[in-house]
Amino acid sequence: MTSTVLHIDSSARTENSVTRSLSAEITGRLAPETVIRRDLATPLPLLDEAWVGANFTPADQRSDEQKALLAQSDALITELKQADTIVIGTPIYNFSVPSTLKAWIDLVARVGVTFNYTETGPVGLLEGKRAIIAVASGGTQAGSDIDFATTYLRHVLGFIGITDVELVAADQLSMDEEGSMQRAKSAIEALAA
């Protein structure tokens, strides 16, 4: 049994969203003791020069203003650290992830906090976690040469140490909605709780 799930939704649609439906079904199947919800329909702040400056200021030298600029990022990282499993619901918008999910990624990928650079390259610091990505698309086939969403998510999750990544895809819905949804439901049924 999964203890804590971080359930992230990034679809702009708050109703009739395939990814929201799939991610909720996945979270229910996992039957976690605790669910941390993060709905990115309420956008996060984008990185700016002041935030970058705060981030690269050593923690013991940050001003109160810099600490305040990093507070949202710190809270998002705390959610990630608390979770055993991360469930991400994301549509493919224009071959990639929604800008709201990219904003979340920018806020959680922090050197010295979720990854480090070493002599042999970057090392993720959030090891031992599982991620399940619920993705939907109108025409883009998940894992294809034009899918820059799931490939990007797998890479960035691995970059911060989360290498156990599974995909539940309701892709190419415009071409075969019934078949695509059935394949996604079968993938959810096959997930180990």
Side-chain angles (χ1 to χ4, degrees):
M1 181 173 162
T2 301
S3 177
T4 303
V5 166
L6 171 57
H7 180 173
I8 302 168
D9 277 314
S10 63
S11 176
R13 291 181 173 180
T14 56
E15 296 180 22
N16 302 315
S17 164
V18 171
T19 59
R20 285 175 184 276
S21 173
L22 293 175
S23 67
E25 192 171 334
I26 292 166
T27 298
R29 173 145 178 88
L30 297 174
E33 294 173 13
T34 305
V35 176
I36 303 167
R37 275 296 275 136
R38 177 59 59 182
D39 192 338
L40 301 178
T42 302
L44 295 168
L46 300 178
L47 302 188
D48 61 15
E49 186 174 3
W51 188 96
V52 172
N55 186 45
F56 285 103
T57 298
D60 61 348
Q61 296 174 28
R62 289 182 186 138
S63 68
D64 289 341
E65 181 181 329
Q66 288 176 317
K67 290 175 188 173
L69 286 171
L70 296 176
Q72 177 75 71
S73 172
D74 292 337
L76 297 172
I77 291 168
T78 297
E79 292 174 354
L80 261 175
K81 287 181 176 180
Q82 291 173 340
D84 303 302
T85 301
I86 299 90
V87 175
I88 301 173
T90 184
I92 296 178
Y93 288 165
N94 301 312
F95 312 104
S96 189
V97 298
S99 61
T100 54
L101 184 53
K102 176 63 167 77
W104 178 83
I105 291 165
D106 286 345
L107 291 168
V108 300
R110 284 179 50 197
V111 67
V113 183
T114 57
F115 72 93
N116 275 328
Y117 289 116
T118 70
E119 293 174 355
T120 57
V123 174
L125 301 176
L126 300 180
E127 294 177 323
K129 297 179 184 299
R130 174 188 189 192
I132 304 168
I133 303 167
V135 64
S137 73
T140 302
Q141 181 181 5
S144 70
D145 289 345
I146 61 170
D147 169 16
F148 300 101
T150 65
T151 53
Y152 171 66
L153 285 173
R154 282 182 188 276
H155 178 80
V156 81
L157 288 167
F159 183 75
I160 61 175
I162 304 169
T163 56
D164 181 1
V165 180
E166 297 168 83
L167 184 65
V168 172
D171 55 350
Q172 297 183 307
L173 287 163
S174 295
M175 298 167 194
D176 179 14
E177 182 173 353
E178 186 178 331
S180 182
M181 289 304 295
Q182 184 54 50
R183 287 187 296 278
K185 299 283 186 177
S186 294
I188 291 172
E189 289 172 13
L191 289 172

